[in-house]
Amino acid sequence: MKNILVTGGAGFIGSHTVVELVNAGYEPVIVDNLSNSLPSAVRGIEKIIDKKVKFFKMDFENIPALKKIIKTEKIDGVIHFAAFKAVGESTEQPLKYYRNNVSGLIELLSLLSNENIPLVFSSSCTVYGEPDKLPVDENTPTKPAESPYGATKQMDEMMLSDVVKASKNFRAISLRYFNPVGAHPSGLIGELPLGKPSNLFPVVTQALAGTGGQLTVFGNDYDTPDGSCIRDYIHVVDLAKAHIKALELLSKQKDRYYDVFNVGNGKGNSVLEVISTFEKTTGLKVPHKIGARRPGDVVAIYANCSKANNELNWKTEKTLEDACRDAWKWQKNITYPQESS
Ligand code: NAD
Ligand code: WQD
């Protein structure tokens, strides 16, 4: 496998994965419609890798165009990041999410399974809902989705499993990401919320930068050691590297193959711990107040990643401190230029 199509490659996780693909000797080809990213992400990637990257600004579900790219670029594998991911928005505009995240994948899968091109798919810890037991491993039962976004990821996983089962030798892996955070240590790419962020890290870095008001901690009366919610925060560069390992595993499979892997750091950190780690690494105070619980938040979730450690031969190398330092470095570099794509 050499030439890898990366849908959503201009986005947060996609852009970091494109860099790691190049570091590992692959030739990435980005397809992204820039619905939630800017052309500057592609320029950031090019600065890091010090060469041009192939980039097609288009919808991934434009199948005739995608088919052409797969042929002309001699694509050997696909990493599919392109999707919408805002949990709150998905409750207000569910069809937008079912269309992009589910219908889009149906189109993509019919093409890839026909052409027998292996796929790495972006799934999410959201499929577990509020777990009964921690840490969660891949056998932990999934719970009814808390949001249309969560439902799309559950449906996507089901479709992948069924399509592989019905095929002769189609291969796919779903990676269940926990909470991806941080940025490339160069400060040239990172998470770029277009509009008001809702995820903890960009809310904190904007509060630190003085551009986003203060952070509201959503509840300090949970049944956790310090009362705030616990999550498994994984540095985006570690997460990006898991995709390379997934491609390697897929390339070794001769028959049809589908599996799911948790990708987290295996440790739970509370919201208050994240705040204190930001304060320690930046030397700044995070302006914050304690507020009400956010509806739909699970109390605590973190991953057992033994399966990815053993079968993908992958492990994390970075810490929460690294993630806070890198996210802050990136925040200081963010500009939202008037760009025409
Ligand atoms: P992102 O929004 O930064 O990146 C997604 C990219 O896909 C964007 O650049 C967007 O422009 C593009 N895109 C969306 N729909 C498209 C379409 N129809 N055609 C072409 N391009 C399209 O999101 P991210 O954080 O990098 O997430 C990537 C994937 O990982 C998503 O599938 C998301 O659901 C999943 N995921 C994200 C998180 C997280 O917290 N960031 C956690 C778990 C899973
Ligand atoms: C983290 C913690 C909040 C903002 C989401 C999706 C999930 C997955 C990852 C895609 C929680 C607290 C946050 C704020 C806060 N994405 N918080 N104040 O909700 O764990 O997961 O992203 O698949 O599906 O739901 O991430 O970053 O929003 O929140 O106190 O202003 O920070 O309560 O405990 P979440 P998050």
Side-chain angles (χ1 to χ4, degrees), residues 85 87 124-126 149 178-180 198-201 203 215-218 229 231 233 271 294 297:
K85 63 167 181 178
V87 173
S124 166
C125 66
T126 193
Y149 168 74
F178 280 66
N179 286 53
S198 58
N199 290 119
L200 180 62
F201 263 60
V203 173
L215 160 75
T216 301
V217 176
F218 294 142
C229 290
R231 296 289 183 274
Y233 296 96
V271 178
R294 180 171 67 177
D297 263 340

Side-chain angles (χ1 to χ4, degrees), residues 41-84:
V42 178
R43 292 200 292 272
I45 294 171
E46 291 177 338
K47 274 194 194 142
I48 297 169
I49 64 175
D50 199 21
K51 63 174 185 181
K52 286 266 170 213
V53 66
K54 283 185 182 151
F55 168 55
F56 295 87
K57 181 179 178 262
M58 56 171 252
D59 299 329
F60 78 85
E61 63 275 44
N62 179 349
I63 296 301
L66 202 68
K67 206 169 171 177
K68 215 163 138 198
I69 291 172
I70 285 177
K71 207 168 165 165
T72 53
E73 301 298 333
K74 301 187 174 56
I75 295 298
D76 307 304
V78 174
I79 308 179
H80 181 49
F81 293 103
F84 295 137

Side-chain angles (χ1 to χ4, degrees), residues 7-14 31-37 58-61 80-85 100-101 122-125 149 153 177-180 191 199:
T7 74
F12 173 39
I13 308 166
V31 163
D32 197 305
N33 62 7
L34 302 182
S35 55
N36 197 36
S37 49
M58 56 171 252
D59 299 329
F60 78 85
E61 63 275 44
H80 181 49
F81 293 103
F84 295 137
K85 63 167 181 178
N100 206 26
N101 299 9
S122 300
S123 189
S124 166
C125 66
Y149 168 74
K153 293 295 175 186
Y177 313 155
F178 280 66
N179 286 53
E191 190 168 5
N199 290 119

